[in-house]
Amino acid sequence: MITDFPDLPLPLPDEKDVLAELAAFEGTPVIPKDRRRTVFPVITKEDVFTMLLSANARPEKVVADFAEAYRSYVGAAYALPVASGTASLHVALVGAGVGPGDEVVVPAFTFIATAQAVVAAGAIPVFADIDPVTYCLSPAAAEAAITDRTKAIMPVHVHGLPADVAALRALADRHGIAFVEDASHAHSAKVGDRTCGAFGDAAGQSLMADKNFPLGGEGGIAFFATEEARDRAVEYLRRNGIDYGMSWIAASFGASQLKRLPYYDRIRARNAAVLGDQLRETGLFSPPVVPEGSTHAYNMYRIGLHPEAVGLDDLPVHAVKEAVHELLVAEGVPAREWQNTPIPCHLPFRHRQGFGGGWPFTLNPAAARDYTPEDFPAVTAMLESTLVLCRELRSPVEYERLARYGQAFAKVARRPDAIRKVVGDRKFPLPWEKAARLG
Ligand SMILES: Cc1ncc(COP(=O)(O)O)c(C=O)c1O
C-alpha cells in the first residue's frame, strides 16, 4: 500500500542561518527546492477501506449517514449534502427565502463563489467593505448597504475566522432579513462553544479538496435552522430538476476524515501559534488577529506587513509587499496573495451578463452597480499590505518546517536593504491593477 506521506521531517534549522545571504541574492534557501511540497489530506488505508465497504451500501445511505454525522458535529439543526460549496450556498440562500431580484449583502473580499451563488439564486449581490482587523464583513458597512429590497446578509468567516456573528445577527433581526453564513473556510471555527455553520438561518460550506475538512475532490453541505427552510431548498431543487447530489465516494471519504478533523484542527492551531510567535519577533510581520472568544480555523493564514518597523515607510507598502513576497518565495516559503482585487471588480460583475441578457441583474437595475476598488478601502489596504499561507499549516506539516518558515521570515525582515533594492529595481503595479485572479 502506497500512501502519499512525507518520508522524513526537515531537519531543525540552524540558528545562525538567519544571518546567511538571502536566497534571492545567491544564498542558500531556508527550505531546499526538493523539500517544499506539503501533503494534504493524508489518505490512509482506513479511507480506502471505508470507501470499499461503502460500495456495498446504498449510495443515498452513505451520503445521508455522512451528512448526519457532520451536522451533529457542527450542531446545526438540519443539513443538505450537495456536490460543491457553490451549490451549498445557492440552496442555503433559497432555503432562507432569497429569490429573483432580491438583494443580498456580501463582503467585497471573499472567493467569487460567494457572490456567484447569489446570482445563481436569481438575486443581486450588493458588496460591502470588510473590517480592517478581522477582514470579515463589516457590520457597519453591511448596514449601509441594506435597502428595502435586501433579503439577506451573507457574511463569510473568511480565512477561517468567524465574522462578527453577534452584530450581524442583530443587524439582520433589526431589518427583518435573513442571516446566511458562508462557512467555507470555517470548519470547526467557533464563537464560544458554538461552531460556524450553526449560527445562521442557513449556511453553506465547501468541502472541496483545498479546505480544512476535504471530501477528496468536490463536495459541500448546507445547514438550516428550520425544517421549513430545508424543505424549501429541497423543493426548489425538485421543482427545477436540479441534481446537486453529493457523491457517495466523497461522503465515504468524509466519514473517515471526520474522525481525524479534531486532530487536524489541533495541529493547525499549534502551527499557527508557533508561527505567530516567530512573526511577532521580526517586527516587520504580524500574525492574524483573533478576537477574544473566537476560535480561528486557519484555512488561510494572512500575515500583515509593517514597513515602518524596519524603516521602509518611505516606500509604497504594496511594493514592499511584492519585494518581500519574492524574497520569501526564493527562501522556499510558498506565500501568496490570495485575491488581488475586490470581488465586484472581477469580470462577471463588471459585464453583468449573468445567465445571459443580463438576468438576474436586469430584475433590479438599481442594485447593479459599477464598483471600483476605491469603494472598499479596507479591502484595498489589506491587499496592499498582507501575504497569505494556505496549506502550509495543515497536518502533517511538521514543527521543523514551521521553524524554517519562521527563520525565512526573520531572514527577510533583517534585510531592509535587500527589500529596498528589489523595490528600487522594479516597478510594481497595485494588486488590483494586475489581471484579477480567482485565488
Ligand atoms: C469563501 C468560499 N465560498 C465558497 C466557495 C465555493 O466552494 P466550491 O469550490 O466547493 O464550490 C469557496 C471555495 O473555495 C470559498 O473559498
Side-chain angles (χ1 to χ4, degrees):
M1 174 84 197
I2 298 167
T3 58
D4 198 4
F5 201 81
D7 5 308
L8 283 176
L10 283 162
L12 273 170
D14 185 333
E15 272 175 32
K16 67 177 182 337
D17 286 348
V18 80
L19 306 174
E21 183 51 284
L22 293 169
F25 291 87
E26 315 275 294
T28 307
V30 171
I31 302 181
K33 279 215 167 78
D34 60 345
R35 301 298 305 277
R36 290 183 185 172
R37 191 169 157 260
T38 58
V39 175
F40 184 82
V42 180
I43 300 172
T44 66
K45 294 187 183 75
E46 190 202 356
D47 295 312
V48 177
F49 194 63
T50 308
M51 216 177 295
L52 291 176
L53 283 181
S54 300
N56 293 326
R58 273 190 309 112
E60 315 83 76
K61 180 164 162 36
V62 176
V63 173
D65 287 353
F66 163 71
E68 176 50 23
Y70 187 49
R71 181 207 62 73
S72 150
Y73 175 88
V74 170
Y78 298 90
L80 182 58
V82 289
S84 73
T86 310
S88 75
L89 294 170
H90 180 181
V91 296
L93 288 162
V94 168
V98 171
D102 291 339
E103 295 169 24
V104 178
V105 178
V106 296
F109 168 63
T110 172
F111 182 65
I112 196 167
T114 311
Q116 287 293 42
V118 174
V119 177
I124 323 294
V126 173
F127 295 94
D129 208 355
I130 55 172
D131 178 274
V133 175
T134 65
Y135 309 135
C136 294
L137 180 63
S138 150
E143 179 144 41
I146 291 174
T147 72
D148 55 6
R149 294 195 68 174
T150 306
K151 201 57 180 269
I153 48 173
M154 185 158 71
V156 182
H157 307 300
V158 83
H159 304 132
L161 179 68
D164 187 344
V165 171
L168 292 163
R169 171 87 265 176
L171 174 63
D173 291 347
R174 217 162 44 243
H175 289 267
I177 59 180
F179 172 37
V180 181
E181 299 165 76
D182 181 346
S184 295
H185 295 175
H187 313 80
S188 308
K190 290 188 173 47
V191 180
D193 58 4
R194 291 184 65 200
T195 305
C196 289
F199 292 111
D201 299 299
Q205 185 167 65
S206 173
L207 302 170
M208 58 82 80
D210 204 32
K211 299 296 182 282
N212 287 340
F213 179 37
L215 299 196
E218 302 288 340
I221 192 159
F223 298 113
F224 302 94
T226 63
E227 195 171 6
E228 188 195 354
R230 197 262 319 264
D231 289 352
R232 195 181 295 124
V234 171
E235 172 56 18
Y236 170 91
L237 295 175
R238 196 196 58 76
R239 188 165 21 94
N240 292 297
I242 298 174
D243 178 2
Y244 270 167
M246 178 183 280
S247 120
W248 67 267
I249 296 180
S252 76
F253 186 72
S256 49
Q257 292 281 321
L258 182 55
K259 294 187 209 138
R260 249 168 269 156
L261 185 55
Y263 175 85
Y264 290 155
D265 292 342
R266 291 284 278 276
I267 296 284
R268 271 195 327 280
R270 191 229 30 203
N271 285 352
V274 168
L275 186 60
D277 289 344
Q278 291 170 320
L279 292 176
R280 270 182 219 100
E281 274 176 32
T282 65
L284 176 58
F285 300 106
S286 62
V289 175
V290 184
E292 185 77 31
S294 291
T295 305
H296 197 317
Y298 299 111
N299 182 59
M300 291 181 215
Y301 188 94
R302 190 169 283 273
I303 296 166
L305 265 84
H306 308 274
E308 71 286 358
V310 291
L312 294 176
D313 38 339
D314 57 313
L315 301 177
V317 62
H318 77 278
V320 173
K321 181 196 86 164
E322 295 277 6
V324 164
H325 190 183
E326 286 190 10
L327 297 176
L328 285 169
V329 169
E331 296 297 337
V333 178
R336 66 202 84 195
E337 284 190 302
W338 200 73
Q339 303 300 328
N340 66 322
T341 191
I343 297 299
C345 302
H346 280 267
L347 276 181
F349 303 107
R350 301 229 311 263
H351 62 56
R352 294 196 293 273
Q353 288 300 306
F355 286 93
W359 194 94
F361 297 98
T362 44
L363 297 176
N364 182 349
R369 299 191 197 115
D370 289 316
Y371 297 94
T372 66
E374 292 70 32
D375 293 328
F376 309 102
V379 176
T380 52
M382 177 200 69
L383 296 175
E384 282 183 289
S385 65
T386 60
L387 284 169
V388 174
L389 295 180
C390 289
R391 300 166 141 242
E392 292 72 35
L393 300 186
R394 294 182 206 170
S395 169
V397 165
E398 68 279 34
Y399 174 81
E400 293 83 350
R401 185 173 299 270
L402 258 294
R404 280 175 181 258
Y405 289 154
Q407 185 174 57
F409 281 100
K411 202 174 159 188
V412 170
R414 56 175 295 285
R415 292 293 305 280
D417 61 310
I419 300 170
R420 186 176 288 281
K421 173 158 177 23
V422 178
V423 170
D425 287 349
R426 305 274 297 282
K427 175 138 183 51
F428 292 109
L430 288 162
W432 50 93
E433 289 170 351
K434 300 183 276 190
R437 280 195 317 271
L438 285 182

